[in-house]
Amino acid sequence: MTHPRPVRVRFAPSPTGHLHVGGARTAIFNWLFAKSHDGSFILRIEDTDQQRSTRESEAMVLDDLRWLDLHWDEGPEAGGIHGPYRQSERMEIYGGMARELLQSGRAYHCFCDEEMLERKRKESEEAKQPPHYDLTCWKLGPEERRQKAEAGDKSVVRFHVPKEAGASFDGDVHIDDLIRGEIVWKKESLGDFILLRSDGMPTYNFSVVVDDHLMEISHVIRAEEHLTNTHRQVLIYRAMNWPVPEFAHVSLILGEDRTKLSKRHGATSVSQYAEDGFLPAAMLNYLALLGWSPPDGKEIFTATEAIAHFSLDRVNAAPAVFDAQKLLWMNGQYLRQMPSSTLRRQISRELEMADLVTGGGAAAEEWLDEAVDLVQKGADKMSQLRPALMFLFHFDAAAAVTDPEISPLIADSDTRIVIDALHRDLSERGGPVTAEEYQALAERVKIASGAQGKKLFMPIRVAVTGSLHGPELARTFPLLEKGSRTPGIARVLSPLERVEAFRAALG
RNA sequence: GGCGCAUUCGUCUAGGGGUCUAGGACGCCGCCCUCUCACGGCGGUAACACGGGUUCGAAUCCCGUAUGCGCUACCA
């Protein structure tokens, strides 16, 4: 390559709903490639299918991309000199290009209606023949086609695939896919295809070529489902005498049953994961790792690190199954190493709506930070934080007492002794506000009750948290004690209040 | 049916002729840590689709078969 073109790549979604994880990965690969080559990442909206495309969907896709922290250099909202970036706003351009093809004899008007085509397609399929267009209108010749057009017959514009002997633009199509290597199609394997629909809208294969050329796209990185379309597209490039970009076809993302990932596999849009408490950095990391791996073998990496190591030749050509469990694990890795104050800020709205934070203030924030820090070790996603914090704000002694898992413990007479000792100590000396004070408390209860180990700690835990499970008591006790005195948060019962309630429930 | 792509542990992958009795990660199992649940640490389980070549030597190269997937639309 003597004159390397500036790297310009594009992500070209159809706005028909939220961004799918497959689309997100394609966007990520494009973005990583652009950034690693100091190139431009362009966003283009492919909304030529007016039935399915909506402006609302477009806004959602843009939001999803922003959530992933993928910024586009050109595109809707960002602007750019190659705009407009919405195909629906480029109609005259496609019309003009189609006219060129019509004039050079590489395309022609076709008046066949859909019903007839459908019937012919079925027939050739039954005859075990490739269902190519039978060239009815091509055989009509220019004159007859003109007459039909003037008579006002509805028509589409078809591209003519040259098969005639001696056609100068004849030949098999071959590309050197950056992920898959050389791919060849015999020229016989394709029928004449539609460029412009009867309503004047371009088809995907046409608009994509026109736009990729005009937007000076150097590398087309897209999903494998477009691989065989490349055949048609290269033919258009040739007919227009345009340079053909590099291609890289990324494999599909599959569900557990190894079919293309879809709704019935569960959550498939990035927004669903966002709502479910996944972190964008984790999502980006996981998706980047699905089909690509950095040379150093690291699995947890930042976007910056990925950019530094990214290359298409390390992208796997085989399809990959989306593993929600690994995503969850990875999200947990990110979540656990996050500062608790950051997490607290992110869930603060949620806490306010649940009336857990009533006034706020520095003391409340500090207390909440500690609370979050206490529970984040056990969380894999943001949405688990609030439920994990709930035991601090709600204490239902009656429910605890009747819990089938807890009742056996209560039935044990030693349990009662520990709880009574705990109650006595708490009411005489007050609740602990440090881990050390808690340790001292536990030691005194141990001596007073004669219990130790599980027999000592489980009763204490249940009497104060209402549950068999939870964060370590040495931090829970001080947190509860301080919480009961901290303004700006919902009322937190102190350890003493809890034990009293528990004893009352015991009867 | 035709055309195309793919095929390493259950899953994501490393591997680009000898260093592979195939490495890592998730999951699963066990042990340790421990008042519990987690976290964390340690260990274990488990794979080169099959058949032919090429080669002194193949997970790695070639061909075929099988299987899966995609395209074959006036969807993208």
Side-chain angles (χ1 to χ4, degrees):
Chain A
M1 215 187 275
T2 42
H3 300 289
R5 287 209 265 172
V7 167
R8 290 174 57 81
V9 297
R10 79 327 190 259
F11 175 58
S14 286
T16 58
H18 270 293
L19 182 63
H20 188 270
V21 290
R25 187 182 58 154
T26 303
I28 289 167
F29 284 172
N30 270 286
W31 183 79
L32 288 174
F33 185 77
K35 296 296 154 197
S36 65
H37 286 85
D38 212 13
S40 304
F41 176 58
I42 292 122
L43 179 63
R44 184 174 70 222
I45 304 298
E46 309 224 324
D47 55 353
T48 56
D49 182 350
Q50 294 180 306
Q51 303 296 314
R52 303 196 302 155
S53 304
T54 66
R55 244 357 218 277
E56 295 71 52
S57 292
E58 181 190 313
M60 292 191 278
V61 171
L62 262 48
D63 278 343
D64 295 338
L65 250 16
R66 275 188 284 257
W67 180 76
L68 280 168
D69 213 16
L70 261 29
H71 298 287
W72 50 100
D73 304 300
E74 295 172 30
E77 297 182 8
I81 59 166
H82 297 84
Y85 294 91
R86 242 181 310 258
Q87 293 190 323
S88 58
E89 294 168 6
R90 317 182 107 238
M91 287 305 122
E92 329 75 56
I93 300 175
Y94 309 123
M97 295 300 182
R99 221 168 300 129
E100 276 189 38
L101 254 9
L102 246 12
Q103 274 157 13
S104 64
R106 300 306 316 278
Y108 58 97
H109 287 282
C110 171
F111 305 90
C112 300
D113 64 84
E114 283 190 74
E115 256 175 68
M116 184 164 56
L117 291 172
E118 184 57 36
R119 203 172 56 243
K120 285 180 182 171
R121 208 170 6 248
K122 276 211 184 91
E123 280 167 18
S124 46
E125 205 164 315
E126 277 160 26
K128 300 203 186 303
Q129 293 294 311
H132 292 163
Y133 177 59
D134 67 359
L135 303 175
T136 302
C137 293
W138 171 253
K139 288 172 189 157
L140 250 33
E143 193 47 44
E144 203 168 334
R145 285 199 295 265
R146 180 162 28 245
Q147 282 169 21
K148 274 179 161 296
E150 275 163 17
D153 286 12
K154 270 240 164 211
S155 70
V156 300
V157 173
R158 257 183 212 280
F159 182 85
H160 182 59
V161 178
K163 290 173 189 164
E164 293 74 24
S168 58
F169 31 69
D170 192 8
D172 292 343
V173 170
H174 78 99
I175 63 167
D176 191 13
D177 192 280
L178 264 19
I179 294 173
R180 277 146 222 283
E182 180 151 55
I183 298 164
V184 184
W185 291 276
K186 295 256 175 290
K187 60 178 184 294
E188 297 79 24
S189 62
L190 197 62
D192 290 4
F193 55 92
I194 293 171
L195 259 23
L196 247 38
R197 298 186 262 234
S198 52
D199 63 359
M201 298 293 273
T203 58
Y204 165 74
N205 284 301
F206 187 46
S207 58
V208 83
V209 169
V210 170
D211 289 344
D212 284 343
H213 173 257
L214 260 22
M215 294 179 182
E216 295 173 31
I217 301 303
S218 62
H219 301 255
V220 173
I221 305 168
R222 65 189 3 164
E224 186 190 350
E225 56 194 339
H226 296 297
L227 182 57
T228 42
N229 280 322
T230 309
H231 187 181
R232 280 166 245 268
Q233 295 168 202
V234 171
L235 253 15
I236 299 174
Y237 279 107
R238 284 190 193 171
M240 293 300 285
N241 234 299
W242 288 341
V244 180
E246 299 284 340
F247 292 103
H249 288 91
V250 181
S251 66
L252 260 21
I253 295 182
L254 273 26
E256 280 125 280
D257 58 358
R258 303 205 72 93
T259 63
K260 191 175 163 179
L261 193 68
S262 68
K263 317 286 168 294
R264 63 195 175 76
H265 291 108
T268 53
S269 67
V270 304
S271 63
Q272 281 173 290
Y273 286 96
E275 280 163 29
D276 197 20
F278 284 79
L279 299 160
M283 194 72 192
L284 182 101
N285 191 157
Y286 176 74
L287 253 16
L289 209 51
L290 206 55
W292 176 76
S293 60
D296 61 11
K298 270 182 67 179
E299 295 212 318
I300 304 286
F301 47 73
T302 62
T304 308
E305 288 172 311
I307 290 166
H309 294 299
F310 190 78
S311 70
L312 286 171
D313 55 24
R314 289 190 66 86
V315 174
N316 206 136
V321 174
F322 188 82
D323 186 351
Q325 261 188 321
K326 184 153 182 176
L327 203 213
L328 186 63
W329 166 80
M330 188 168 282
N331 200 63
Q333 295 293 310
Y334 277 84
L335 187 61
R336 275 173 231 121
Q337 57 92 50
M338 271 189 129
S340 56
S341 57
T342 304
L343 294 176
R344 185 214 80 224
R345 248 172 268 130
Q346 292 197 31
I347 62 167
S348 64
R349 209 186 142 63
E350 208 185 329
L351 295 176
E352 275 165 35
M353 290 199 309
D355 284 330
L356 298 179
V357 175
T358 50
E365 283 179 3
E366 195 183 322
W367 183 83
L368 280 167
D369 284 352
E370 207 176 318
V372 170
D373 190 65
L374 187 62
V375 301
Q376 79 182 92
K377 300 280 167 294
D380 288 312
K381 47 187 181 180
M382 300 287 285
S383 54
Q384 292 169 340
L385 256 23
R386 192 177 66 85
L389 290 169
M390 286 314 287
F391 82 98
L392 297 167
F393 303 98
H394 292 290
F395 181 70
D396 190 340
V401 168
T402 53
D403 186 301
E405 279 194 274
I406 296 175
S407 350
L409 184 71
I410 292 167
D412 188 337
S413 60
D414 292 340
T415 296
R416 197 59 195 253
I417 295 170
V418 172
I419 291 173
D420 285 344
L422 175 66
H423 176 248
R424 207 174 309 119
D425 195 283
L426 247 19
S427 44
E428 282 168 11
R429 316 177 70 126
V433 291
T434 65
E436 291 69 34
E437 287 180 25
Y438 163 78
Q439 301 295 2
L441 161 74
E443 190 58 29
R444 289 191 301 270
V445 174
K446 176 183 173 182
I447 291 164
S449 67
Q452 56 179 318
K454 277 194 201 346
K455 289 211 153 238
L456 170 66
F457 292 106
M458 289 319 281
I460 294 178
R461 171 175 291 286
V462 166
V464 168
T465 70
S467 170
L468 256 15
H469 314 298
E472 51 177 326
L473 292 171
R475 293 186 63 193
T476 300
F477 263 77
L479 191 64
L480 253 15
E481 185 61 38
K482 285 188 274 183
S484 71
R485 307 174 196 169
T486 305
I489 50 172
R491 175 85 180 114
V492 173
L493 294 178
S494 71
L496 175 61
E497 289 168 313
R498 286 164 181 248
V499 175
E500 279 172 346
F502 195 80
R503 291 175 84 226
L506 278 176

